[in-house]
Amino acid sequence: MKAAVVGNPIAHSLSPLIHGAWLKAGALDGTYERVLIPLGAFPAEIHRLQAQGLSGVNVTLPFKEEALALADEPSPRAVLAGAANLLVFGADGRICADNTDGEGMLGAVAAQAPGFDLTAAPVLMFGAGGAARGAAAALVAAGAPSVVIVNRTLARAEAIAAELGPKVRAFSLGEAAALISDAGLIVNATSAGLAGQPGFDFPLDRAPRAAVAMDMVYKPLITPFLAQAADLGLRTVDGLEMLIRQAVPSFAAFFGQAPDLSVDVRGLCLAALEPAS
Ligand code: NAP
């Protein structure tokens, strides 16, 4: 049983660490590698890996949209997200695509904010990329009364709202301050902070103190957004927990059994993210 994570760049990916620890704990005869795919070569490289007998691959930036387009059988949630992070190669040669980011986000909230009632108040989400789209669909499916998407480029938020129905509404960044006092869950799903830029932050002082703040970014683990939330006394959920939770259904799809969640993969990832100096 072989699987891999593909992307460009890929050296930073923590997925081999997570899947490797679960393989070891389950005493499974399997491998999980990193594969760098050159830009422009995604379909050919995927077919090459398929021909090598892999069970499937996880897909990371910048290929998630191409992964969906390549699939013979996309899951409804991958179609809603407009992106796939999981390709499973069938014995008949067909490629199934799924998107487990939304499931990962919900799992992280359940793990790090136990007892949080998603159905009690609106969700406010910053960002309107692939991750936000998948998360919004999962939140609506899980019973959130409404999902308010706030994005720098309003048109992208409006496109998600138009697709996902009346429970999802779109606003510009300038309108967000007035919306925050109603929010139960506040999520940063922007990619701000990559490439050495300042991380995303937004004044949270008007947020209800019972609100939960989540950041999808996990490097740094404590982002400026989460640090501010914690200072204000809000409960916080980090992107590392989401990363681990989104890997659970992939592992089952590749290796035929659920991972042993008692393994401290979080500790392994933390050690890899912050090596002792
Ligand atoms: P994406 O499709 O590239 O979308 C990026 C989003 O961030 C867009 O809405 C963009 O706004 C916004 N943005 C970028 N820079 C910004 C800035 N300086 N200020 C305000 N908004 C800004 O990315 P994605 O795939 O959705 O991923 C989003 C984030 O989630 C990334 O950091 C990714 O690493 C993370 N993620 C984490 C996990 C996990 O398991 N923890 C899983 C998936 C994704 P515009 O539309 O205006 O450009």
Side-chain angles (χ1 to χ4, degrees):
M1 294 185 293
K2 293 185 287 185
V5 58
V6 303
N8 187 336
I10 199 62
H12 66 287
S13 174
L14 293 173
S15 293
L17 195 60
I18 295 170
H19 287 270
W22 285 338
L23 281 168
K24 193 172 168 196
L28 292 171
D29 185 15
T31 60
Y32 186 101
E33 309 289 340
R34 285 184 179 88
V35 178
L36 176 73
I37 290 193
L39 299 178
F42 185 76
E45 286 295 296
I46 291 298
H47 289 128
R48 186 180 64 79
L49 294 170
Q50 191 179 18
Q52 286 179 0
L54 270 71
S55 311
V57 293
N58 285 123
V59 181
T60 188
L61 295 176
F63 299 120
K64 289 184 176 186
E65 287 81 10
E66 271 192 85
L68 180 68
L70 191 67
D72 302 299
E73 292 175 34
S75 70
R77 61 185 184 178
V79 173
L80 274 178
N85 67 342
L86 170 61
L87 294 179
V88 178
F89 305 145
D92 56 0
R94 292 174 71 77
I95 299 178
C96 298
D98 198 3
N99 189 311
T100 67
D101 283 341
E103 186 176 339
M105 188 204 60
L106 294 176
V109 171
Q112 294 194 327
F116 173 71
D117 182 4
L118 184 66
T119 66
V123 177
L124 177 61
M125 185 151 54
F126 294 98
R133 186 179 276 267
L139 287 161
V140 170
S146 67
V147 179
V148 173
I149 300 187
V150 172
N151 197 43
R152 184 175 62 179
T153 309
L154 178 60
R156 290 186 83 188
E158 286 174 337
I160 299 179
E163 246 175 84
L164 296 185
K167 285 192 172 177
V168 180
R169 293 177 296 143
F171 294 91
S172 64
L173 269 173
E175 296 170 294
L179 301 162
I180 211 157
S181 55
D182 288 335
L185 175 64
I186 306 164
V187 182
N188 172 33
T190 76
S191 58
L194 296 180
Q197 301 300 310
F200 181 80
D201 210 357
F202 190 89
L204 295 173
D205 45 301
R206 288 165 75 176
R209 290 302 173 265
V212 170
M214 169 169 190
D215 204 322
M216 291 193 184
V217 173
Y218 58 85
K219 198 171 180 179
L221 185 69
I222 310 297
T223 61
F225 183 75
L226 289 188
Q228 186 201 163
D231 282 349
L232 290 167
L234 274 57
R235 284 197 288 172
T236 60
V237 177
D238 60 56
L240 179 58
E241 198 60 32
M242 175 174 167
L243 181 80
I244 294 166
R245 302 277 161 179
Q246 62 80 34
V248 172
S250 296
F251 186 89
F254 297 145
F255 303 115
Q257 64 182 67
D260 177 354
L261 294 180
S262 70
V263 180
D264 184 18
V265 290
R266 185 177 168 86
L268 291 172
C269 291
L270 286 174
L273 285 170
E274 296 162 17
S277 52

